Amino acid sequence: MTLRAQPAARHRAVAATFTDLVRGVDDWDAPSPVPGWAARDVVDHLVTWFPAFLASGSGHRWPPGPP
C-alpha cells in the first residue's frame, strides 16, 4: 500500500485496509502475533486506544464505538 503525504488521506487509506481486514476475520479467537492476544484483543486495543490518541493531538472527541 502506498501511503499518501497528507495525514487525512493516509488515515483514510490505513483505516480502509484495517476495515477490510477486520471484515475478513472468521475466527475472533485466533492467536495474534502478540503473545497471549487473540484477534479480538488486537482489534479492541486499536479501536479503544486510537480515538484517544487522535483526540490528544486535535482536541476532537469521538463517541465510543460498539464493544
Side-chain angles (χ1 to χ4, degrees):
M1 166 179 37
T2 302
L3 296 178
R4 299 180 171 108
Q6 303 90 357
R10 287 179 60 134
H11 176 74
R12 280 191 295 275
V14 170
T17 300
F18 177 74
T19 299
D20 290 344
L21 290 170
V22 168
R23 285 183 177 151
V25 173
D26 292 326
D27 181 4
W28 287 102
D29 294 316
S32 80
V34 179
W37 284 30
R40 77 176 67 254
D41 301 316
V42 174
V43 172
D44 178 64
H45 171 72
L46 291 172
V47 300
T48 56
W49 164 81
F50 197 65
F53 171 76
L54 290 177
S56 70
S58 71
H60 185 81
R61 302 290 183 254
W62 287 263

